[in-house]
């Protein structure tokens, strides 16, 4: 079983409009509601790859009830912890003409100390049966900025490989707890290290505590810096579509590759292929399976000198 943690879950609402025009009224062609948040997206991709996935985090209020109802229709196991506050909503407005997506993200509910304690207890119980764990996304209001650092240490004590995918001060604190892998994008990595040169920044992030670093570089693919070596993997061509959730699919590729014992080039190949196939899918947590299979054979992996 692979465990994913989403402390700031969301009910994802997608509106599709013929064309998005500022300051204008719009008639919505289509509305979709899906369980959202980075770790939930990761779990959905993991189940599509054939892995058992369990999701935990927080859910509350009417939006949380809808999220859990939608999640029950899908394969991941629901171990979300109930809270008094309402789960946030994220609104995506998709322009049918350009294909561009405008995203509006609410901040999330206030989590009380007692609710955090209940989550930590649930997390500890779930670690007992986990092959790996992913800690994903932003922290909701009320949680300590070192929350992820605490969860990383808890996973390490349980000897469960832990991947951290967050940003800002939560990443800075979390990386000092020595996670097995961190997966920032280029901007998050630059904010962490002060360097815009990805290879230098990835090495710096390892010095700060990460055992391995995989940086998402957009159209340039991904860069991995690990004790075993340095690699960069890129898709054969630029893929256009909706990039929402592409990084979450990459996390699923990296985690599934880890538990299957794949070497780093094969893990990166899977992560890049899944990421690109997600851009071609209609929503986060999904990927175009045909494009994924084709992409696996055409991702380019280059090894860098140490």
């Amino acid at each position: 079983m692979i465990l994913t943690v989403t402390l700031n879950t969301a009910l994802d609402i997608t509106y599709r409009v013929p064309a998005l025009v500022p300051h204008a009224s719009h008639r919505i062609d289509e509305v979709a509601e899906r369980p959202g948040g980075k770790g939930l997206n990761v779990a959905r991709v993991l189940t599509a790859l054939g892995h058992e996935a369990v999701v935990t985090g927080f859910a509350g209020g009417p939006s949380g009830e809808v999220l859990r109802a939608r999640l029950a229709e899908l394969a991941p196991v629901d171990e979300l912890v109930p809270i008094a506050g309402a789960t946030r909503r994220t609104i995506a407005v998709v322009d049918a003409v350009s294909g561009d997506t405008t995203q509006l993200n609410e901040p999330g509910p206030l989590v009380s100390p007692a609710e955090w304690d209940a989550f930590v207890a649930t997390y500890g119980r779930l670690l007992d049966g986990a092959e790996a764990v992913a800690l994903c996304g932003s922290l909701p209001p009320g949680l300590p900025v070192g929350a992820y650092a605490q969860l990383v240490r808890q996973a390490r004590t349980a000897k469960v490989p832990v991947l951290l995918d967050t940003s800002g001060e939560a990443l800075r604190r979390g990386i000092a707890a020595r996670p097995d892998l961190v997966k920032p994008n280029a901007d998050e990595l630059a904010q962490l290290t002060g360097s815009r040169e990805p290879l230098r920044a990835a090495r710096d992030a390892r010095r700060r505590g990460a055992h391995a670093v995989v940086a998402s570089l957009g159209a340039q693919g991904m860069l991995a810096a690990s004790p075993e070596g340095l690699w960069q993997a890129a898709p054969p061509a630029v893929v256009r579509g909706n990039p929402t959730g592409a990084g979450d699919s990459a996390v699923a590729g990296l985690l599934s590759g880890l538990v299957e014992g794949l070497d780093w080039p094969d893990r990166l190949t899977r992560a890049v292929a899944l990421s690109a196939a997600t851009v071609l899918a209609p929503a986060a947590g999904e990927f175009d399976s045909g494009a994924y299979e084709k992409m696996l054979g055409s991702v380019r992996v280059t090894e860098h000198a140490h």
Side-chain angles (χ1 to χ4, degrees):
M1 176 268 280
I2 299 176
L3 177 64
T4 73
V5 174
T6 312
L7 298 176
N8 207 7
T9 57
L11 179 62
D12 286 347
I13 302 170
T14 301
Y15 296 141
R16 297 186 182 276
V17 298
L20 182 60
V21 181
H23 316 299
S25 178
H26 296 76
R27 185 174 298 279
I28 298 168
D29 291 341
E30 179 186 342
V31 180
E33 289 184 331
R34 293 179 175 86
K38 294 176 73 64
L40 271 67
N41 295 336
V42 172
R44 290 176 63 192
V45 174
L46 284 169
T47 58
L49 294 172
H51 287 270
E52 180 187 2
V54 174
V55 299
T56 190
F58 298 109
S63 51
E65 291 178 9
V66 175
L67 181 149
R68 299 187 82 161
R70 295 286 183 269
L71 187 61
E73 301 165 0
L74 305 170
V77 177
D78 177 358
E79 287 279 2
L80 295 169
V81 175
I83 57 172
T87 295
R88 69 190 176 119
R89 297 163 300 174
T90 64
I91 313 296
V93 183
V94 180
D95 184 316
V97 173
S98 68
D100 290 340
T101 301
T102 300
Q103 194 83 14
L104 304 172
N105 296 331
E106 295 179 355
L110 181 68
V111 177
S112 72
E115 290 166 341
W116 171 241
D117 289 344
F119 168 80
V120 171
T122 298
Y123 176 69
R125 171 175 59 82
L126 294 171
L127 281 176
D128 284 344
E131 298 172 89
V133 58
L135 309 175
C136 303
S138 60
L139 296 176
L143 291 193
V145 72
Y148 279 135
Q150 177 180 341
L151 300 183
V152 168
R153 288 192 293 269
Q154 202 170 342
R156 287 179 56 80
T157 299
K159 301 190 184 320
V160 177
V162 55
L163 180 153
L164 178 61
D165 183 13
T166 188
S167 60
E169 190 61 25
L171 174 59
R172 191 179 305 277
R173 299 285 187 94
I175 205 171
R178 301 190 173 278
D180 295 273
L181 177 60
V182 295
K183 197 216 70 64
N185 62 33
D187 288 341
E188 291 162 351
L189 190 59
Q191 184 183 14
L192 173 71
T193 65
S195 174
R196 280 274 167 193
E197 201 289 301
L199 190 54
R200 179 183 301 171
R203 285 170 167 152
D204 186 358
R206 287 199 62 220
R207 286 192 292 270
R208 291 168 184 261
H211 184 72
V213 177
V214 175
S216 296
L217 306 178
Q220 284 72 51
M222 295 180 182
L223 172 72
S226 77
E228 293 78 26
L230 301 166
W231 292 271
Q232 186 163 347
V238 175
V239 179
R240 302 197 181 279
N242 181 5
T244 306
D248 305 331
S249 292
V251 168
L254 294 169
L255 272 186
S256 60
L258 169 67
V259 301
E260 291 172 29
L262 300 184
D263 61 19
W264 270 108
D266 286 343
R267 287 189 219 176
L268 278 183
T269 296
R270 179 180 291 183
V272 168
L274 279 170
S275 182
T278 297
V279 173
L280 298 172
E286 302 173 8
F287 60 93
D288 184 313
S289 57
Y292 168 61
E293 294 296 335
K294 290 179 183 177
M295 203 79 68
L296 280 174
S298 56
V299 171
R300 304 184 306 274
V301 181
T302 304
E303 186 170 7
H304 294 279
H306 277 276

